[in-house]
Amino acid sequence: MSNYHVEPADRPQALAPEAIKSLRRHQVKGISRRQLLRYSIGGGIALWLLEVTAGTIGFIWPNLSGGFGGKVKIGTLDDVKLANTNLPIADGFPAYFPEARAYIILVDTGQQQFVAGTDVSGDGTALNVRSLYQRCPHLGCRPNPCLKNFWFECPCHGSRYDRLGIKDRFSATVDSGGVLTLDTGKITLGPLPVALGQPGIIPPRTPTGCI
């Protein structure tokens, strides 16, 4: 037989009115419903402010960092040639610059330099350089220049563009030193692909292309 004796627990007694009043006067331990509501509202407002701040920074960051959506410095025609030594840039073949998401094309191959000035229309004839957005206006794919005929060919649906690109263009500036800078935040929308034989098309160098 064990020497331990189990005593019955005291039965809980009802609180006297004086004890209830005392508890009401003292702060409740833990978080009350009122505090929880305040914390929830404050946390929601803080999260909203964080999202607004992050979105604002994300919007203006390209303009601060020189990335796509802001001004991107490309360089002189010689810089473009050096960055694409295996391509016939001097003959008017497009050079691709991923940081600007753009193709750079010499307009008049008889004049081997960019001309100082600003062209907000994106035509580029006055600057002797045209800067094309990489996006095809049909489905948004990136057309690739074909080395056989100097034309752009879209892998998504087979659309073709001449080497100066019947598509979207960037505003551009060339300084007195011949340095090209693109404003990739300003895009002039181009028309859809134009059929062969229509006016304004530079004939391809070969009857067939790359695709």
Side-chain angles (χ1 to χ4, degrees):
M1 296 279 307
S2 172
N3 293 328
Y4 293 102
H5 298 280
V6 179
E7 298 292 338
D10 295 336
R11 293 181 179 178
Q13 302 295 322
L15 292 175
E18 291 78 8
I20 295 176
K21 291 180 180 179
S22 177
L23 289 175
R24 287 176 177 174
R25 286 195 298 265
H26 291 80
Q27 186 175 2
V28 180
K29 293 182 180 181
I31 300 177
S32 66
R33 285 180 294 178
R34 182 175 297 177
Q35 288 176 322
L36 179 61
L37 182 61
R38 289 175 179 174
Y39 292 158
S40 299
I41 295 175
I45 293 175
L47 181 61
W48 176 76
L49 290 175
L50 179 62
E51 292 178 350
V52 171
T53 302
T56 302
I57 294 175
F59 179 77
I60 66 174
W61 181 253
N63 296 282
L64 301 176
S65 63
F68 180 78
K71 294 185 177 181
V72 181
K73 182 179 178 181
I74 301 299
T76 64
L77 178 58
D78 289 336
D79 295 331
V80 175
K81 292 177 181 178
L82 286 174
N84 300 271
T85 54
N86 59 329
L87 297 175
I89 304 301
D91 296 330
F93 190 80
Y96 181 64
F97 285 81
E99 64 274 17
R101 303 182 191 177
Y103 288 100
I104 307 301
I105 305 103
L106 187 66
V107 176
D108 180 8
T109 58
Q111 185 179 187
Q112 291 293 310
Q113 64 177 356
F114 299 153
V115 179
T118 299
D119 182 6
V120 296
S121 69
D123 176 75
T125 302
L127 307 182
N128 199 32
V129 57
R130 183 172 293 179
S131 309
L132 303 178
Y133 185 23
Q134 67 176 17
R135 179 181 178 276
C136 174
H138 253 168
L139 298 178
C141 302
R142 191 182 87 185
N144 300 309
C146 176
L147 197 57
K148 290 182 181 179
N149 59 14
F150 282 39
W151 272 47
F152 288 98
E153 299 178 346
C154 183
C156 290
H157 45 62
S159 290
R160 305 172 72 199
Y161 308 85
D162 67 30
R163 72 173 187 89
L164 292 180
I166 309 298
K167 58 196 189 83
D168 303 342
R169 306 160 184 177
F170 289 120
S171 171
T173 299
V174 177
D175 65 16
S176 58
V179 176
L180 171 66
T181 299
L182 306 184
D183 188 350
T184 57
K186 296 180 180 180
I187 303 177
T188 299
L189 300 181
L192 294 176
V194 179
L196 281 175
Q198 291 190 9
I201 293 294
I202 299 174
R205 298 193 174 197
T206 60
T208 59
C210 295
I211 59 174

